[in-house]
Amino acid sequence: MPGPRKRLGEILKEWGKVTDKQLNDALGRQARSGRRLGEILISTGACTEEDIMRALAIQFDMEFVDVDLATVKPEVMEMMPEAMMKEYQIVPLEYKDGRLKVAITDPLDLESVDAIRFRLNMDVDCVLAAREKVQEIIKAYTEQAESESVDTMLQEFTSSDVDFVDRGEKGAELHAESAPIIRLVQLLITEAVRMRASDIHVEPLANRLRVRYRIDGVCVERDAPPKRLQGSITTRIKLMSGMQIEEKRVPQDGRIRMKLDGQDLDFRVSTLPGYHGESIVLRILRRESINVGLDGLGFLPDDFEVFQKAIERPNGIFLVTGPTGSGKTTTLYAALNKLNTPDRKIITAEDPVEYHISGINQCQVNETINLTFQRILRAMLRQAPNVILVGEIRDIETAEMAIQAALTGHLVFSTLHTNDAPSAITRLIDMGVKPFLVASSIQAVMAQRLVRVLCGECKERDDSMDLSTMRAMGVTEEQLGQATFFRPVGCPKCHNMGYRGRLGIFEIMVLNMELRELTFKHRPLGEIRQAARLLGMRTLLEDGLIKVMRGITTMEEVLGMAAREAAAV
């Protein structure tokens, strides 16, 4: 039987690295602080980190290696994800006969070693190395990997004869787990996040694989991976998002969570089977997007005051309308964050819950178990909330439940798909809601769109603006005299797009007695709109034109988002 394991202090004393006094002082500090003896000896300057690691190697009968960046092999480093190296502070050194040799920094951390074996699904042999050296290698390697671009990676694939064709379920899984595919998918995701994309679209076409990022609402095509990588990329993304990789006939939904550049990011992933393969969309969910304050949404001062008063009311319905991607969710979350105080109980019904907000009770619709908006709403009312958010009013049942909640003393927020604010009134009536219920429950309706903001670094003054178009849209000579127009140029900061970020253009209609009377009598939409305008409602187009004249955005952006009104001019 092996003899008792030597103590660390004894080994260091035998080597002449520490004196009895130094060792006794360190042991005393260890008893008081609970820190490891080796850490204390290094911090007091009695020993170097290499001395401690060499002694630990003797103590635990392990090999000690003096590692540096020149000795590591790139092809072996690629066998392990960068995140795993950082998490466990390990460096892969050699792969031979199915076994991976790794340098670790803590011989007692057996749990991490087991996790490494499980995640890599291979036998792992451990050697000891100095922590400082290991950290230097990981930092140098990851910085080198981060400097690699998608274009460089694609160039390697294009000029390479390596075959990554999908050979069925098992083959696709193996190739999807290969280091180059892992790096390529990670680089695509990293590039999209750094370019401020909201979505990544991977779309198989007849002869190529198309990759596009949606940046500030506009799809931008990137250099595409070779068609032969389609199966491997698809399988890799499905593995990351927890989908069934063998199921290619029906749509699937998944989720990816990762940390990138210090941000905790969620990706909502969906697949859709198509004629040329599965189309994949990764929706990038950023936590900071729901932390936008009300003053960051883009309201003009008078509209901002109207909006604040509307959301502070004790009861009634506040509707936000607009097409998909118009920022309705961000606006509602900003309102809830404003109202989220200890004296208010807030409950939401969402499909799906994309962002989690501390202090708010959020419930996700699940049609498969009949957990519908209506069912959640009924349960909500028994929870005595002050504020309710219904993700979307889709049918008469949900509308009637929301109205019932509003009429019984709750403040209800919801969304509706209509082109402008007055259309929400007629839309609810067309659904089957009685006009008197609409008139008595709706407090305000706000339509909104998102327009791109000119990049502050490169925008240039534009003196060639066609002012006749502005005059035809009702802009006065006084307003034109005070206006300053700018045009997009493009620079590295905005990725040569000329725009950076988006803000809203708004149309807020607050119901007063006159508008309620018109609603109750089920008057035509045009009559309701005209009355709202006379009462001071600024239209989407008018709001957008003010932002054009202030040099915030361009006429093309506003006309693209308020095309219906522009066509009517």
Side-chain angles (χ1 to χ4, degrees):
M1 293 179 63
R5 180 181 293 165
K6 276 191 173 184
R7 294 177 180 273
L8 179 65
E10 292 173 1
I11 298 171
L12 293 168
K13 272 179 61 180
E14 287 179 6
W15 291 354
K17 298 294 182 181
V18 294
T19 64
D20 285 331
K21 183 177 185 310
Q22 287 174 322
L23 183 58
N24 290 331
D25 287 346
L27 289 171
R29 293 190 185 191
Q30 182 187 31
R32 292 191 297 272
S33 67
R35 294 169 62 199
R36 292 186 179 182
L37 179 62
E39 293 177 8
I40 295 170
L41 289 170
I42 293 171
S43 66
T44 58
C47 296
T48 65
E49 185 186 14
E50 185 174 328
D51 293 335
I52 298 297
M53 297 310 293
R54 287 184 182 276
L56 286 172
I58 296 291
Q59 184 183 21
F60 288 93
D61 193 23
M62 295 177 69
E63 178 187 354
F64 173 82
V65 292
D66 187 12
V67 295
D68 58 47
L69 193 59
T71 62
V72 298
K73 302 172 183 175
E75 65 272 16
V76 178
M77 294 284 283
E78 288 177 358
M79 297 182 70
M80 184 175 293
E82 294 169 24
M84 189 184 292
M85 293 186 209
K86 292 179 180 177
E87 181 180 356
Y88 297 114
Q89 290 295 292
I90 57 175
V91 170
L93 301 175
E94 185 181 5
Y95 182 71
K96 188 176 180 182
D97 299 328
R99 302 183 72 87
L100 183 67
K101 184 189 215 179
V102 300
I104 64 173
T105 60
D106 185 354
L108 294 172
D109 191 4
L110 301 178
E111 186 176 333
S112 292
V113 175
D114 287 339
I116 295 163
R117 290 191 179 105
F118 176 77
R119 290 175 63 175
L120 294 179
N121 193 26
M122 65 175 68
D123 293 324
V124 174
D125 297 322
C126 298
V127 297
L128 273 183
R131 182 181 297 273
E132 187 177 343
K133 293 284 188 69
V134 167
Q135 289 174 340
E136 284 177 5
I137 291 171
I138 294 173
K139 182 181 179 184
Y141 177 76
T142 52
E143 283 179 353
Q144 179 181 343
E146 284 173 1
S147 67
E148 179 181 32
S149 68
V150 175
D151 296 337
T152 305
M153 185 80 185
L154 292 178
Q155 183 63 37
E156 290 179 20
F157 277 118
T158 305
S159 59
S160 169
D161 293 327
V162 178
D163 183 14
F164 279 91
V165 177
D166 184 351
R167 298 184 182 84
E169 296 167 12
K170 186 64 175 176
E173 182 175 353
L174 288 172
H175 286 291
E177 284 297 297
S178 66
I181 291 296
I182 292 174
R183 282 166 51 216
L184 176 59
V185 172
Q186 181 68 31
L187 281 171
L188 286 170
I189 291 173
T190 301
E191 181 182 67
V193 170
R194 289 175 179 170
M195 290 180 72
R196 302 176 300 102
S198 59
D199 306 272
I200 305 170
H201 299 259
V202 181
E203 304 159 313
L205 305 178
N207 301 312
R208 65 189 182 99
L209 185 66
R210 182 168 67 180
V211 175
R212 296 189 290 177
Y213 304 154
R214 189 181 295 278
I215 302 171
D216 293 334
V218 177
C219 283
V220 178
E221 188 164 350
R222 300 294 296 151
D223 289 341
K227 177 73 173 175
R228 59 194 170 90
L229 299 183
Q230 177 178 318
S232 299
I233 291 173
T234 299
T235 303
R236 174 61 189 164
I237 295 173
K238 289 169 77 172
L239 281 170
M240 292 174 70
S241 54
M243 297 182 190
Q244 298 179 33
I245 61 170
E246 69 279 0
E247 181 56 80
K248 304 177 182 179
R249 301 163 299 170
V250 297
Q252 294 189 70
D253 294 302
R255 203 149 187 158
I256 300 171
R257 288 184 172 88
M258 68 168 59
K259 193 159 190 170
L260 185 60
D261 295 339
Q263 298 181 73
D264 289 315
L265 297 173
D266 275 3
F267 298 81
R268 200 176 75 211
V269 187
S270 68
T271 66
L272 180 67
Y275 186 75
H276 298 295
E278 291 176 281
S279 173
I280 301 179
V281 176
L282 293 86
R283 178 83 184 275
I284 304 172
L285 306 175
R286 293 177 171 83
R287 179 72 191 176
E288 69 269 17
S289 66
I290 62 161
N291 292 329
V292 176
L294 292 179
D295 53 354
L297 295 175
F299 287 107
L300 295 174
D302 52 349
D303 276 348
F304 185 55
E305 186 178 346
V306 171
F307 179 80
Q308 282 191 301
K309 287 181 179 177
I311 66 171
E312 291 285 355
R313 296 196 178 186
N315 60 354
I317 296 179
F318 185 96
L319 285 176
V320 181
T321 77
T324 302
S326 58
K328 300 187 297 294
T329 302
T330 300
T331 297
L332 288 176
Y333 275 134
L336 290 185
N337 275 326
K338 171 76 173 177
L339 299 175
N340 188 15
T341 55
D343 60 325
R344 286 192 182 97
K345 177 162 184 174
I346 303 174
I347 307 180
T348 75
E350 303 172 65
D351 185 19
V353 174
E354 292 188 352
Y355 302 99
H356 299 279
I357 306 177
S358 177
I360 292 179
N361 303 276
Q362 295 173 272
C363 188
Q364 181 159 310
V365 170
N366 188 343
E367 300 283 355
T368 58
I369 58 172
N370 197 31
L371 188 62
T372 60
F373 277 120
Q374 305 96 285
R375 193 170 179 185
I376 294 172
L377 264 169
R378 288 192 196 97
M380 273 184 186
L381 296 178
R382 294 193 290 271
Q383 296 273 315
N386 302 103
V387 181
I388 292 171
L389 167 66
V390 183
E392 182 183 346
I393 294 179
R394 298 176 178 173
D395 48 48
I396 185 172
E397 291 83 5
T398 307
E400 287 180 339
M401 287 294 298
I403 287 170
Q404 179 187 341
L407 294 177
T408 52
H410 304 87
L411 179 60
V412 181
F413 292 97
S414 192
T415 68
L416 203 61
H417 287 283
T418 62
N419 288 326
D420 58 12
S423 298
I425 302 297
T426 54
R427 174 71 187 279
L428 288 172
I429 295 172
D430 291 342
M431 274 185 184
V433 181
K434 293 180 175 57
F436 77 90
L437 289 175
V438 176
S440 56
S441 61
I442 301 294
Q443 294 289 357
V445 183
M446 183 174 77
Q448 72 174 71
R449 301 289 189 277
L450 293 176
V451 295
R452 290 186 293 173
V453 176
L454 285 163
C455 175
E457 294 291 317
C458 62
K459 67 179 182 179
E460 288 183 353
R461 184 163 177 151
D462 184 8
D463 295 321
S464 62
M465 174 67 69
D466 184 2
L467 299 183
S468 61
T469 305
M470 302 284 285
R471 294 186 184 96
M473 293 178 180
V475 179
T476 65
E477 291 297 330
E478 182 183 354
Q479 289 174 313
L480 289 174
Q482 298 173 352
T484 306
F485 302 101
F486 287 86
R487 64 181 182 86
V489 178
C491 67
K493 186 172 182 180
C494 62
H495 303 288
N496 294 312
M497 298 178 70
Y499 298 92
R500 184 175 174 85
R502 291 189 291 176
L503 54 72
I505 55 174
F506 304 96
E507 175 178 294
I508 306 179
M509 181 181 75
V510 179
L511 272 71
N512 63 358
M513 289 305 297
E514 183 179 343
L515 289 173
R516 293 186 195 282
E517 184 72 18
L518 293 173
T519 302
F520 178 74
K521 293 179 178 178
H522 196 184
R523 302 303 299 166
L525 173 60
E527 195 172 329
I528 295 175
R529 183 182 292 118
Q530 183 180 2
R533 294 287 307 280
L534 291 173
L535 291 167
M537 181 187 78
R538 183 187 293 119
T539 67
L540 287 167
L541 180 61
E542 290 167 344
D543 194 52
L545 291 177
I546 291 173
K547 285 159 185 171
V548 171
M549 290 186 287
R550 293 186 178 183
I552 297 171
T553 186
T554 62
M555 182 68 104
E556 291 77 18
E557 278 294 301
V558 171
L559 294 182
M561 293 298 149
R564 183 194 61 78
E565 288 185 69
V569 173

